[in-house]
Amino acid sequence: MLAGLTGFLYRLGMMGWVPGELALGNIRHAHSHLMFFGWAVPLPLYIIKQKVSGKADDMGEGFSWMKYSIAWILFFGLMAYPFFLFYGYRPVAMGSATLPLSVIFSGFVMIGWYGFIVGYWKSRTALQDDESLPWIDGALVLLVVCSLGAWGVAVIQELAPQSHLLMKSMTHFFLAAFTEGWVVLILCAILINELEIEEQHWWTSPQFALGAIAIGAPLTFPYGISESLLTPMLLGTARFGGGLAAVGLLLVMAAIFKSGKWRHSIWIWPVALLTLKGVMQLGASVVPSSFWLSDPGLRVLYLHILLLGGLTLLAFAWFNSRTSVSKSYFHLVGGSIIVTLFTLLMFTGVWPQALSGAWIVDALALGALLPILAVLAYWVMLIQSQKKGSI
């Protein structure tokens, strides 16, 4: 909800309704970092922890590592938030020193990732016969890989601050390995587990699909680099990586469709949105680059289809399958997210020019507000069901 409210604040800023001491760029950084560090990592890690604890005979030391690492990640993810909001990446005066606190706290968050992986490794044998185990392993490997990109930015700032292309490359390597690697693989792991996708449902080897995503995801980093800095080799690398990762994801979706288990009323939402994400990514690998490189709105829509659509709705589906909260509240969240994604479509070059106008900025703000209200309603019902002892 806090990440969503920050996105709503950003939309208000586009309308000129934000206090002068807040910069739009810093609001955007606060929104994205909180979504990444406070939602897109600790929540899937919690789902992994619950899965391990449900199969392990003895919780042991590994369970404690996982549990406290998630708490650590949430704490420092929230600690970084106000510094991103007010200062962005700029240093903050602390007495006689100036420290980039947003960057420092983000570094602590990633240390928490490593702590969780240590605990998972200690408890991993509990999942040795599980179909989703290779996918969880692959997702955690990509989480480590993307963290190397983040550390690389700090190193380049010290050793070669004048290398703008190298700095951009490392930043977008982190983002690509995170969103296309970690997020996609862990969502596939959850779906494979929840829908019980087995060997006979696959059109090809599941290892091929896993490998395609894991290899292709980091190679998509040039997509985020300015068009003026892109070389034909970098663009070709991104196209190849994006096509490979898209094929891997669509193979997972094909296995889910073949199983027939996607038809459940709550799982159909994230499956549909992840399929759309895969089709968009495959399309970006073959259409002329001028179609989307000059349209930042398309990239924003694409990211929200993955993170707000696929990730968030899959998380709510996971929760809903384990609580007595009415499915109507899940559908309320899903419907509000679809409306939000539709308003983001209005801000792209795909939207007909004849239907454009200043009113679209108002629609974006309304669209950003709706999921917050829907999640609030879901949260209230979740608390009520807890009080009744129904979880």
Side-chain angles (χ1 to χ4, degrees):
M1 285 181 63
L2 183 57
L5 283 168
T6 311
F8 177 61
L9 180 64
Y10 182 79
R11 299 305 176 191
L12 292 181
M14 293 175 65
M15 301 164 67
W17 293 356
V18 166
E21 63 268 18
L22 290 178
L24 274 180
N26 292 345
I27 296 173
R28 188 178 72 250
H29 288 316
H31 169 67
S32 59
H33 280 80
L34 187 60
M35 187 68 179
F36 280 16
F37 292 159
W39 181 247
V41 175
L43 180 60
L45 294 185
Y46 173 77
I47 293 174
I48 294 172
K49 179 184 74 70
Q50 291 297 97
K51 182 173 177 58
V52 172
S53 65
K55 293 206 170 188
D57 297 326
D58 177 23
M59 293 296 100
E61 184 184 0
F63 184 79
S64 297
W65 272 85
M66 289 188 286
K67 175 182 173 183
Y68 292 114
S69 293
I70 294 172
W72 172 286
I73 292 165
L74 278 171
F75 176 77
F76 284 107
L78 287 169
M79 286 291 288
Y81 172 76
F83 295 102
F84 274 117
L85 184 63
F86 290 103
Y87 302 99
Y89 289 98
R90 289 187 290 113
V92 181
M94 301 287 290
S96 60
T98 55
L99 300 171
L101 291 177
S102 58
V103 177
I104 291 170
F105 289 138
S106 296
F108 284 144
V109 167
M110 291 189 291
I111 291 171
W113 298 355
Y114 304 149
F116 181 92
I117 291 169
V118 170
Y120 170 77
W121 189 257
K122 291 175 178 288
S123 309
R124 182 177 174 276
T125 52
L127 304 178
Q128 56 188 325
D129 297 323
D130 198 287
E131 293 284 343
S132 63
L133 176 61
W135 295 85
I136 296 173
D137 289 349
L140 292 172
V141 168
L142 264 294
L143 195 60
V144 173
V145 169
C146 81
S147 73
L148 299 179
W151 297 124
V153 172
V155 172
I156 292 167
Q157 282 178 329
E158 290 296 321
L159 300 181
Q162 73 284 354
S163 180
H164 188 60
L165 177 58
L166 192 55
M167 190 87 72
K168 278 278 188 184
S169 296
M170 293 305 294
T171 300
H172 289 286
F173 179 83
F174 162 78
L175 293 171
F178 185 94
T179 55
E180 305 293 350
W182 154 253
V183 172
V184 171
L185 286 174
I186 198 61
L187 294 184
C188 289
I190 295 169
L191 281 172
I192 288 168
N193 179 71
E194 293 296 315
L195 301 182
E196 298 178 343
I197 306 302
E198 298 174 352
E199 193 75 33
Q200 67 268 23
H201 297 135
W202 291 89
W203 293 97
T204 184
S205 165
Q207 286 75 25
F208 175 80
L210 171 58
I213 298 171
I215 294 169
L219 298 179
T220 61
F221 75 90
Y223 278 150
I225 300 174
S226 303
E227 190 173 4
S228 60
L229 297 174
L230 273 179
T231 64
M233 180 177 289
L234 281 173
L235 185 56
T237 299
R239 286 183 180 280
F240 173 75
L244 193 61
V247 167
L249 176 58
L250 292 174
L251 284 172
V252 177
M253 296 301 106
I256 291 171
F257 287 127
K258 187 179 179 183
S259 73
K261 298 174 183 178
W262 58 275
R263 294 188 180 90
H264 193 284
S265 61
I266 63 172
W267 297 110
I268 191 172
W269 292 80
V271 168
L273 285 164
L274 286 173
T275 303
L276 175 59
K277 182 262 181 206
V279 171
M280 288 179 71
Q281 186 177 30
L282 188 61
S285 300
V286 296
V287 301
S289 57
S290 57
F291 175 73
W292 49 266
L293 276 177
S294 59
D295 191 350
L298 268 179
R299 281 178 278 180
V300 171
L301 173 63
Y302 172 79
L303 275 176
H304 280 77
I305 286 173
L306 173 60
L307 295 171
L308 182 61
L311 172 68
T312 299
L313 278 177
L314 186 58
F316 272 91
W318 187 87
F319 275 121
N320 200 257
S321 66
R322 287 159 173 78
T323 71
S324 62
V325 176
S326 169
K327 288 185 178 63
S328 61
Y329 287 93
F330 170 84
H331 295 308
L332 180 65
V333 174
S336 68
I337 286 176
I338 295 300
V339 172
T340 301
L341 295 176
F342 184 74
T343 62
L344 289 173
L345 177 66
M346 297 177 183
F347 213 62
T348 69
V350 178
W351 187 253
Q353 192 66 33
L355 299 178
S356 297
W359 64 272
I360 287 180
V361 178
D362 299 332
L364 284 170
L366 177 63
L369 183 61
L370 292 179
I372 302 164
L373 298 176
V375 170
L376 177 61
Y378 193 98
W379 192 9
V380 169
M381 296 308 298
L382 186 63
I383 291 170
Q384 288 184 359
S385 66
Q386 284 178 315
K387 287 180 180 178
K388 294 176 183 176
S390 55
I391 293 183

